[in-house]
Amino acid sequence: MEQTYIMIKPDGVQRGLVGNIISRFEQKGFFLRGLKIITVDRALAEKHYADLSAKPFFNGLVDYIISGPVVAMVWEGKGVVTTGRKIIGATNPAESAPGTIRGDFAIDIGRNVIHGSDSVESARKEIALWFPEGTVNWQSNAHPWIYE
Ligand code: RTP
């Protein structure tokens, strides 16, 4: 089944949004396969955002991600990469719809609370990067009530 990497950024942790964000993924019907709170070193943050290294905001982005602990998660379910991005909302909170995480909780693009993988291939790479120890494989009893 498809998996995605979701990360609550330092602003989301500091503002006490962890429980609310986890609830949204859980209530949708996705399954939690990995969860940890960690403080990120610069090397890991730079690797995660390597595709953006030429952008003018890259250093500020890395400084932001390493400024406090993040909550790293792996969520699983049918279409979780695309649906996860919908739950999160547009990158710039000024354009995120109300009802999305960024639409409800964020104002500035550089403080947009949460990250979600943008493709199945990115998810695979990001899960390997953030969870080298692996994830937890468990069978939920809710499966027959979520999938037809
Ligand atoms: P993310 O990777 O965090 O889920 O965000 P995303 O795919 O929606 O957006 P992406 O283009 O990959 O940008 C990654 C993060 O960089 C910050 N950003 N700042 N100052 C700016 O113009 C700017 N643009 C992007 C945001 O924190 C964005 O989430």
Side-chain angles (χ1 to χ4, degrees):
M1 181 88 66
E2 189 171 303
Q3 294 187 333
T4 192
Y5 176 65
I6 299 291
M7 176 169 70
I8 305 174
K9 297 176 178 177
D11 50 336
V13 176
Q14 302 272 337
R15 293 174 57 200
L17 301 176
V18 172
N20 186 297
I21 289 169
I22 289 175
S23 285
R24 291 174 184 228
F25 281 85
E26 224 172 20
Q27 288 169 351
K28 177 69 176 170
F30 294 131
F31 298 109
L32 186 58
R33 298 288 189 210
L35 173 70
K36 60 187 176 185
I37 183 163
I38 46 171
T39 305
V40 182
D41 63 28
R42 185 168 289 276
L44 179 58
E46 286 180 350
K47 209 166 176 186
H48 174 78
Y49 283 120
D51 290 352
L52 301 175
S53 61
K55 299 280 185 190
F57 58 82
F58 180 72
N59 287 334
L61 174 60
V62 170
D63 286 344
Y64 158 48
I65 294 302
I66 68 175
S67 65
V70 299
V71 171
M73 296 180 279
V74 176
W75 287 92
E76 183 176 296
K78 195 190 287 178
V80 70
V81 170
T82 300
T83 304
R85 298 273 293 187
K86 286 184 186 158
I87 291 171
I88 289 170
T91 305
N92 186 348
E95 287 152 21
S96 320
T100 65
I101 291 167
R102 287 168 175 160
D104 288 350
F105 298 133
I107 293 173
D108 271 349
I109 192 167
R111 295 288 183 274
N112 63 359
V113 172
I114 186 165
H115 161 80
S117 306
D118 62 8
S119 67
V120 172
E121 181 55 18
S122 308
R124 196 189 54 73
K125 286 187 195 150
E126 291 173 0
I127 292 166
L129 180 66
W130 289 88
F131 284 88
E133 71 275 25
T135 55
V136 179
N137 193 15
W138 56 284
Q139 187 64 37
S140 168
N141 291 330
H143 258 104
W145 301 108
I146 289 170
Y147 297 110
E148 55 175 19

